[in-house]
Amino acid sequence: MNCEEATKLMDGYLDGELDPITSQTIEQHLRDCPNCEQKYMANRALVNAIGSAIPYYKAPAGLRERIQCSLREEIADRPARAVPRLLVTRKQPEPRTTLFGTPWNWLSLGGLGLAAAIIFAAIIFSNLAPMLRRPGADQFLATQLIASHVRSLMVNHLTDVASSDQHTVKPWLDAKLDFAPPVVDLASEGFPLIGGRLDYLDNRTVAALIYQRRKHFINVFVWPGEAAARPALAMSHQGYQLLHWADPDFNYWAVSDVSASDLQTFKQQFEAQRSHH
Amino acid sequence: MAAPLKVDYAFDTEDLESSAKIVKFAILKKHQQQDAAQEHEVASFEETMLPHMDAAHNLAKWLLRNEEDAQDVVQEAYLRAFKSFSGFHGSNGRAWLLTIVRNTSYTLLKKNRAVDLTTTFDEEIHTAGYESVSPAAILEHSENAELIKEAMDALPMEFREILALRHQEGLSYKEIAEIAQIPPGTVMSRLSRARAELKEYLAARIGKDK
């Protein structure tokens, strides 16, 4: 064996992947050739050092639950299991949340949602601390708003009327409320309407509109505003966003885990569409 | 006017525990609606495959270089694996799962038209005077994880793949050949080139910083 052949086989030798006879031939060559031997020793040390220094990306917390949820959804969705599937998806609004074409049911969303809601509530409480020290209505409202958001993320609580059609959602809400909340179609702006819901905030029944941004939901709470519109207020912490604005007629609170810029875009599109009508 | 606030209720340990119980109860109830056989199928799949979740995530992350995509791919790969689990009779669950993770990653990259199978090496770094950098000097820097990561990320996908499989999973050439879908004889030469390029990148970086 010459040096060129030995160099070619060096990685296989280093990895212990050569057949015994070739291995012995290389060993013999390394004994005979100090140059190759030195090269081999240096290379082995280096390869081992670099190899063990490559960062290992462990699975993040939550991925296991995500996988387990999708497996159970897969089972529940099998055609042969029509009964459990019906039980699970009966109240599901259109369109269904999909990831790689895999339907998520509200149970899995509910589980994630609940976890998110608890984190969210904790964040909001720490974030709102300065605000909570302000006296009166704001303080009470913030508490209620958080509670509503937490409830909405629980199983089957997201929508009372599930429709992507504003002309279905709006009349439904109008009939249930003593005011007519603006419902706009933002599907072409990337915020499809999911549905509407009645909620209770600030000692009154309010409208909750649910929009979707990719895999995320945006809850918009709407109720008639006070005479003096207050300035917009944005809060964010660790990816969770809370945005408040008002126009002469209504108060709005948007709550979501989309990015701050996405939520700002949403607000702008919402206002633009609203002024259209 | 407002009732005194109990601001800390969300931090109440008992509250969190009971919430968790509600979720567990809801999942449990759903299970009861399913066939025992189906539940057994999921359980047996999870027992075999979930231990390899870190390996799956690590490979996907190196292939895609993006955390969100990596997680999506791992979830999708598990779903694909589950659907064909009845056809899996081997003993090497990890290699089987990694094959699916690898294929799913390539599918996603093709879909995104971002396949970087060809060598995209930084010419400037590549040709900078690394000749003067000794293996000993590179060895000194080999504990710099940030530098190693940067070097890895600069390599073509097929090299990142083979280095992760060999050095992080410690797989044999035969297993690597099956996962990367290349002839067994190609594994050694590809690994050799991957290591050489990694070393060259490191040498170039170290030489540049000097």
Side-chain angles (χ1 to χ4, degrees):
Chain A
M1 181 174 279
N2 60 33
C3 293
E4 197 187 326
E5 285 170 330
T7 307
K8 234 174 122 184
L9 292 169
M10 214 164 256
D11 281 273
Y13 178 65
L14 192 152
D15 289 326
E17 288 273 353
L18 298 180
D19 65 87
I21 294 169
T22 317
S23 268
Q24 277 178 6
T25 322
I26 289 218
E27 268 164 39
Q28 185 60 49
H29 177 80
L30 292 180
R31 272 198 292 271
D32 296 344
C33 175
N35 202 6
C36 278
E37 201 205 5
Q38 201 194 351
K39 245 168 72 183
Y40 168 71
M41 298 301 273
N43 197 34
R44 188 179 63 178
L46 192 52
V47 162
N48 289 338
I50 295 175
S52 57
I54 300 173
Y56 197 93
Y57 296 120
K58 284 195 166 194
L63 186 56
R64 171 184 292 263
E65 286 70 25
R66 215 177 124 178
I67 291 166
Q68 288 178 324
C69 279
S70 82
L71 292 177
R72 272 152 190 82
E73 171 62 18
E74 166 64 20
I75 280 242
D77 241 28
R78 284 181 183 175
R81 309 304 306 160
V83 175
R85 183 191 165 163
L86 268 177
L87 284 173
V88 168
T89 57
R90 184 168 36 107
K91 283 192 174 176
Q92 193 162 310
E94 299 291 335
R96 296 189 351 184
T97 326
T98 59
L99 181 75
F100 266 113
T102 308
W104 282 53
N105 67 37
W106 290 113
L107 186 73
S108 56
L109 271 179
L112 291 172
L114 184 67
I118 291 167
I119 294 164
F120 185 87
I123 288 163
I124 293 300
F125 270 119
S126 61
N127 220 0
L128 283 184
M131 191 178 171
L132 289 174
R133 273 183 236 112
R134 282 161 61 185
D138 271 5
Q139 179 186 27
F140 197 49
L141 171 62
T143 323
Q144 290 184 320
L145 188 75
I146 291 153
S148 289
H149 184 75
V150 170
R151 270 197 305 277
S152 87
L153 289 171
M154 288 181 173
V155 183
N156 287 338
H157 254 282
L158 195 58
T159 55
D160 289 333
V161 51
S163 171
S164 56
D165 181 6
Q166 54 176 315
H167 304 296
T168 304
V169 176
K170 187 167 167 51
W172 188 91
L173 287 170
D174 290 353
K176 305 279 187 297
L177 295 163
D178 57 357
F179 61 97
V183 182
V184 295
D185 181 10
L186 296 171
S188 53
E189 281 77 27
F191 300 97
L193 179 66
I194 299 297
R197 188 181 70 245
L198 293 180
D199 221 311
Y200 195 77
L201 272 174
D202 205 22
N203 294 324
R204 61 166 304 138
T205 309
V206 304
L209 305 173
I210 301 92
Y211 289 87
Q212 198 177 349
R213 178 64 163 178
R214 291 185 286 272
K215 289 172 236 157
H216 309 277
F217 292 103
I218 301 171
N219 258 300
V220 188
F221 300 96
V222 186
W223 66 97
E226 301 132 36
R230 292 184 299 174
L233 172 68
M235 280 175 279
S236 75
H237 194 80
Q238 292 184 356
Y240 287 89
Q241 307 297 334
L242 199 61
L243 185 59
H244 169 61
W245 74 96
D247 61 26
D249 299 324
F250 294 104
N251 267 313
Y252 304 88
W253 274 96
V255 184
S256 182
D257 61 341
V258 299
S259 71
S261 61
D262 269 2
L263 205 58
Q264 285 289 352
T265 310
F266 173 80
K267 171 189 169 245
Q268 282 157 15
Q269 297 293 350
F270 192 98
E271 288 187 309
Q273 284 288 326
R274 165 143 167 71
S275 59
H276 248 266
H277 293 288
Chain B
M1 55 156 280
L5 275 176
K6 202 187 168 199
V7 174
D8 58 345
Y9 85 91
F11 300 103
D12 191 324
T13 319
E14 266 188 24
D15 241 29
L16 289 171
E17 268 176 15
S18 60
S19 301
K21 276 176 201 155
I22 291 168
V23 173
K24 277 182 196 154
F25 176 69
I27 290 172
L28 197 69
K29 261 201 89 158
K30 195 182 162 205
H31 286 183
Q32 287 167 351
Q33 295 161 354
Q34 293 174 345
D35 260 353
Q38 283 195 336
E39 182 47 40
H40 177 75
E41 190 187 344
V42 179
S44 133
F45 173 79
E46 287 180 346
E47 196 184 310
T48 316
M49 293 302 166
L50 279 182
H52 308 307
M53 192 173 57
D54 282 339
H57 179 264
N58 182 57
L59 179 63
K61 181 76 190 285
W62 278 120
L63 290 176
L64 301 162
R65 295 181 290 200
N66 173 305
E67 179 59 43
E68 203 177 321
D69 286 349
Q71 291 188 33
D72 286 354
V73 156
V74 171
Q75 188 195 347
E76 171 70 7
Y78 265 96
L79 208 54
R80 286 192 195 180
F82 179 64
K83 285 176 188 167
S84 50
F85 188 53
S86 54
F88 171 72
H89 301 296
S91 53
N92 197 340
R94 183 174 51 153
W96 187 68
L97 180 69
L98 289 179
T99 309
I100 299 172
V101 167
R102 186 242 183 217
N103 292 342
T104 312
S105 301
Y106 276 68
T107 306
L108 178 73
L109 285 173
K110 266 183 212 151
K111 214 173 77 185
N112 293 349
R113 295 196 198 90
V115 187
D116 59 346
L117 292 168
T118 50
T119 306
T120 51
F121 227 53
D122 185 331
E123 284 298 324
E124 194 202 338
I125 278 185
H126 205 57
T127 50
Y130 56 82
E131 299 289 351
S132 58
V133 180
S134 68
I138 306 176
L139 192 58
E140 275 177 38
H141 286 78
S142 65
E143 282 181 18
N144 183 342
E146 197 48 46
L147 187 61
I148 305 274
K149 178 190 176 299
E150 186 193 309
M152 275 287 278
D153 278 340
L155 294 181
M157 188 174 186
E158 54 183 0
F159 289 169
R160 301 198 300 274
E161 171 181 274
I162 203 164
L163 289 169
L165 293 175
R166 177 66 205 180
H167 287 293
Q168 302 194 285
E169 300 305 332
L171 296 176
S172 71
Y173 282 14
K174 188 168 163 285
E175 290 168 316
I176 292 172
E178 279 166 21
I179 294 169
Q181 286 149 46
I182 50 177
T186 311
V187 176
M188 185 170 70
S189 58
R190 183 180 289 185
L191 196 50
S192 175
R193 277 192 297 139
R195 285 165 173 165
E197 295 229 341
L198 193 62
K199 278 181 280 184
E200 278 182 21
Y201 185 94
L202 290 173
R205 269 299 311 272
I206 295 162
K208 221 178 164 188
D209 288 348
K210 268 204 296 205

